Amino acid sequence: MRKKIYSIVLAGTLLLSPAMFFSCDLEDDDEYCHNKGQLYCESVDKCCSSDLPWNDGHGSCYNTLSYCRKTGWACSACY
């Protein structure tokens, strides 16, 4: 029984290990974003959809500057 538990724990660890190391997105750049047909948000190195051109500096994208400003963070335009 103990061997079976160790095997399950080991298998789970091996399956989850790559997710722990690669779960965060790599930083995007303007060429990468534009190749995807999206806008590049320099303040957070992130792509935003072309219909969401405003970024609050914390990773969220907004369709208008007024919605972005409601977050209380400094907003910038993505290009």
Side-chain angles (χ1 to χ4, degrees):
M1 180 69 173
R2 190 174 274 198
K3 261 184 153 175
K4 187 174 185 177
I5 292 173
Y6 287 136
S7 296
I8 292 171
V9 170
L10 179 62
T13 303
L14 292 174
L15 288 173
L16 292 177
S17 293
M20 288 189 280
F21 294 110
F22 299 109
S23 62
C24 60
D25 293 333
L26 297 175
E27 289 182 357
D28 298 331
D29 64 9
D30 57 346
E31 183 179 354
Y32 173 78
C33 294
H34 294 153
N35 287 341
K36 288 177 44 177
Q38 297 183 334
L39 302 173
Y40 175 65
C41 303
E42 187 174 24
S43 62
V44 289
D45 289 328
K46 177 183 175 175
C47 301
C48 281
S49 174
S50 59
D51 61 335
L52 302 171
W54 296 98
N55 187 277
D56 65 1
H58 287 83
S60 297
C61 304
Y62 299 89
N63 61 344
T64 66
L65 180 58
S66 62
Y67 281 132
C68 186
R69 286 187 175 160
K70 288 180 182 180
T71 65
W73 301 105
C75 296
S76 61
C78 304
Y79 60 90

